[in-house]
Amino acid sequence: MDTVTSAVFERGGELPIEGTSYVGRLRETADARRLLGAGHLLTLSGTGGVGKTRLAGRVAAEVGEQYRGEVVFVRLAELRDPDLVADTVAETMGLRDQSGRTSTDLVVNHLRDRRALLVLDNCEHLVDACARFVAAVLRNCPRVSVLVTSRQSIGVPGEQVFPVPPLAVPNPEDVHSPADLERYDAVRLFVDRARAVRSSFAVTEENYVHLARLCHELEGLPLAIELAAVRVRSLSVKQLAERLTDRLSLLTGGKRTAPRRQQTLLATIEWSYGLCSAVEQLMWARASVFSGTVSLAAVEQVCGGAGVDPAEVLDLVDGLLDKSVLVREEHDGEVRYRMLETLRQFGLARLTESGDRPRVARRHRDWHAERAARFQDEWIGPDQVATTAALRRDYPNIRLALDFCFTEPGEAAVGVRMIADIIDFWSISGRFTELRVWMDRALAALPEDAPERVTALRILGWTALFQGDAETVVNSFAAAADLLALRPDEVEAAYIANGWGVAGVFSGHPEAAVPQFRVAMAGFEATGVARGLLSTPPGYGLAVGLAEDYEQGREILNAAIARCAESGETHWRSWTLCVLAFLDMKAAHDAERADPLAVEALRMAHAVGTVEVEAFTTELLAAIASHQGDFVRSATLLGVADAGWTAMGSSTAAYVPLNELREEYLARTRKALGDAAFAKAFDTGRTLPSEDALRYAVERAPERSAVDTVLTRRQAQIAKLVAQGMTNREIADHLVISTRTVETHVEHILTKLDFHSRAQIAAWVTAAGA
C-alpha cells in the first residue's frame, strides 16, 4: 500500500511534517498542479470533510521549489470577522502594520515583485472578503499564485475551480476477494487509520465484503472514513457497516435539500454523536464554543455545571478524545485540545438548538476576561516569554470573547477592559490594525457616558501613534482629555500624558515631551501601576538625555533597567536597553557603551518576540559598526533592518531621532564602501532569513570582555596577538600594517593599563578570557 507523508502548514506559513500518512490522490494532485501552473488562481472546492486542506498541503509541498520556498499557508477556519482576512494573512507572513496602510496594501507591497504561492484555507464563511483580497493581490502582484480551499468558488476573474472528488470506493457487487479492494483509495485510507488504533487490523476473507459495503456507504469522504476507522477498537467491520447503514437510512429523509454527500457526512457525524453518552453529547456541544486549541482548565470552567459534573469533565474529555471528537495537542508541556471544524460546527448547531448557546458563550467570555485580567500580574516576571506564548495559543478564543462583547448589548465595557489588560501582547505581536478595528467597534458600542470610553480613546491614540497617524493621535488623546475633565481618573491621565510624551519624542521634540513624562511618572507612582512604572521610563530617560542632561537621562534608564531586572521582566527591559544604547549613540556617539547594550536588547527582544525592538537595535548595531569602521557589517545590518521595517509596514521616518542617526551613518558607510560594495552588502542583509540575520547581528557582536571594553578595537586586537606570543613584526605582517604602528599601539596599551611589560599584557588578556 503506497502512502506518502503529508505536509500541513501551521501558523507562520511553515511546512512541518504531519503525523498521519497521506493516502492516494495522485491523479488529483497532478491535475491541481497542472491547473495551478496554467493560471494564477485555483480554488479547490468540495463539501466539508472531502480533504481539500490535505490536498492543498500536498500540492503546495510539491510545487514549493518552483516558488523558491516562498509558500505561505493561511488557515482561516478560526477567523470569524471578514474585516480581518487581510490582517490574518499579513500576520501569518510576519508583516507588521505600523505605517497606517491597510493590511491588504501591506501584503501587496511585500509580494509585488516576488514569485510566491499564497494558500488560503477554509474561505467559505468569508468568501466576499477573500474575493476582494485575492483580486487585489492578483491585480498588483503578477508573479504570485493563489490556491484557495472553499466549499464554493470565490468568483474572482481568472479563477479555475477544481472540484475535489471523494476517494475512489468499491462497488460491493464487484468485489470478490480482499485483493480486489487494494486499488481503492477509500479502503486504503480506512485500513491505514484502523491500523493506527489497532495494529493487528487486516483485510480478511471474513471482513472484506463488509469493508467494501462500509466504504461504499461512506462515499469516499475522508473525514467520514477516519471517524469510522477509529471504531475498530470497539466494533467489528460488520458491526460498523450495520450501524452506519441503519443510521443513514434514518437521516436521509429529513435532509432532502442537502447534497447526498453532505447527507452522508452529516449521517456519519450523527452516528458518531449517537455513540456518545448523553453527557458526552452535552460536552461536545458546549466545547464547540471554543476556537483553536483550549486548555483543560478552560473546558472545566466553561462546560461544567448545568448537567455536567465539573469533577467528571476530565473523563468526558478523555471520552471525546477516544471518539476522535477532540484532537490532542501538546505545547511546551501543556496538553491542549482542538475540535475539527466540521465537528465544531455540528456541535454549535446542537448548542443553538438547545437554547443554551448564549449562556455558554457568556461563560466562555467570562473565562477569557478573567484570563486577560490575570495577564499583567503573570506577565511581569521571569516567566514572561512563556506567558506570552501561552496567550498566543489562547488568542483565537480571545477574539471570540471580544466579538461577544462588541455584539451583545451592554457588554462593550468588558471588551475594552480585556484589551487594556493585554495591551502589551497586542504591541509585541504588532497587531495594530486589528486593534484599531476592535477600538472602532468598542467606541460605536459604548454609551457616551461610559468610563471605558477614555480607555478606548487612549488605546486608539496609542495604536495610531505607532502607525504614524498623527491626526488620530491628536484627536483621540484630546477627546480622552475632555472626558477626563468631566470624570477625573489619575491612571488614565497618566497614560494619556505618557502618550503625549512618546509623540513628542517620535516627532523630534524631546523638550516638549519631558514635562509630559514627569506628569505620567508622578501619576503612576501615586497609583502604584506597575506597568506604567515600567513603560514610561524608556521615553522619559531618552527625552531628558536628548533635551536636558545626557547623564541624567542615562541614570533614569539605568534605574529602569534595574527595576525590570529585579522583577525578571524582559519586554520593557529590552526596550529600555535599546533606548539607552540609542541615547549613547545619538547624544555622545559612544559606540563602546552602546554596543553591548544593543546586543543584549536584541537577544531579549527576540526571545519575547518584540519586533519593534529588533528593528531598532539592528539599526543601532549598524550605526555602531559604521562608527567603528566596520563598514561591510554596517551596510549588511542596514539591509537586515530595512527588511524588518518593511515587514512591519513602517520605516525609520516615523521616528525622527532614529532616522537622523540612520542618515548620518548610512551616508558615512556608503561613502566608505562606494555605491557598488554598499549595495551588495545591503542586499545580502536584506535577504538574510530572520534566524540567520539574528545570528549575524549577535555573533558578530559578542558580549564584550574587559579587553574590548577598556581598549579600542585596534588596541584590543593587538593585545590579543601579544598574548599569543607574536612579536611586533609578526603582528604587523598579520594585520598588514607597519611595525612602527604596532609599536605605537603597544606603548599606548602599556600606558592605559599602567603596565611595564608585554608579559603583563598577555597575563591580563588571559585573565579577562578574551
Side-chain angles (χ1 to χ4, degrees), residues 487-763:
R487 184 187 288 113
D489 183 319
E490 194 169 1
V491 173
E492 288 297 337
Y495 274 123
I496 294 296
N498 186 36
W500 283 123
V502 173
V505 172
F506 280 6
S507 62
H509 299 287
E511 69 286 347
V514 171
Q516 295 288 350
F517 283 127
R518 286 179 176 146
V519 169
M521 285 299 294
F524 290 132
E525 287 169 354
T527 54
V529 177
R531 179 184 179 274
L533 293 173
L534 295 177
S535 63
T536 304
Y540 180 31
L542 179 59
V544 169
L546 292 177
E548 296 183 353
D549 188 308
Y550 165 62
E551 289 298 339
Q552 184 185 354
R554 292 194 93 256
E555 289 177 9
I556 292 170
L557 294 170
N558 276 314
I561 291 168
R563 187 183 300 116
C564 291
E566 184 178 352
S567 66
E569 199 277 339
T570 302
H571 168 68
W572 289 112
R573 186 159 34 143
S574 72
W575 258 122
T576 313
L577 283 163
C578 171
V579 169
L580 180 56
F582 173 75
L583 178 61
D584 286 337
M585 285 300 295
K586 178 67 175 173
H589 289 75
D590 192 339
E592 301 299 321
R593 265 184 166 180
D595 195 359
L597 297 171
V599 169
E600 187 177 1
L602 180 57
R603 285 178 173 145
M604 288 185 174
H606 187 74
V608 78
T610 308
V611 292
E612 297 95 338
V613 178
E614 291 191 52
F616 266 87
T617 50
T618 307
E619 282 283 345
L620 286 175
L621 288 170
I624 290 166
S626 180
H627 184 86
Q628 295 172 335
D630 195 342
F631 298 112
V632 172
R633 173 173 166 78
S634 178
T636 305
L637 288 172
L638 282 169
V640 172
D642 190 70
W645 293 117
T646 300
M648 289 189 295
S650 187
S651 72
T652 57
Y655 314 96
V656 172
L658 180 65
N659 195 59
E660 292 172 348
L661 186 71
R662 181 183 216 264
E663 292 299 321
E664 175 186 350
Y665 283 104
L666 185 149
R668 176 178 177 176
T669 300
R670 188 189 297 275
K671 181 178 180 181
L673 292 178
D675 289 342
F678 176 87
K680 181 179 179 181
F682 184 89
D683 289 343
T684 297
R686 207 183 191 299
T687 56
L688 276 177
S690 59
E691 290 300 322
D692 291 344
L694 174 72
R695 193 176 301 112
Y696 178 85
V698 172
E699 291 182 355
R700 290 292 302 277
E703 292 184 2
R704 301 171 69 82
S705 68
V707 175
D708 299 298
T709 302
V710 174
L711 304 179
T712 67
R713 181 179 288 257
R714 179 63 87 183
Q715 288 172 350
Q717 195 176 28
I718 290 174
K720 292 171 186 177
L721 295 176
V722 169
Q724 295 176 22
M726 287 189 181
T727 65
N728 287 349
R729 178 61 181 272
E730 290 171 334
I731 293 173
D733 291 342
H734 180 78
L735 298 178
V736 195
I737 58 178
S738 71
T739 303
R740 179 58 188 157
T741 299
V742 175
E743 291 172 351
T744 301
H745 280 302
V746 171
E747 290 173 2
H748 289 164
I749 293 169
L750 291 170
T751 300
K752 182 176 289 187
L753 300 177
D754 196 23
F755 288 164
H756 306 289
S757 69
R758 295 167 67 90
Q760 286 179 299
I761 295 175

Side-chain angles (χ1 to χ4, degrees), residues 19 27 205-206 253 278 342 344 366 403 419 446 449 455 571 655 668 671 718:
R27 180 185 294 261
E205 290 288 343
E206 289 73 30
T342 304
R344 179 175 178 269
D366 290 345
D403 186 67
I419 291 173
L446 284 169
D449 60 348
T455 305
H571 168 68
Y655 314 96
R668 176 178 177 176
K671 181 178 180 181
I718 290 174

Side-chain angles (χ1 to χ4, degrees), residues 209-221:
V209 173
H210 304 297
L211 181 56
R213 183 159 62 91
L214 176 64
C215 290
H216 181 78
E217 293 293 342
L218 292 174
E219 293 189 319
L221 289 170

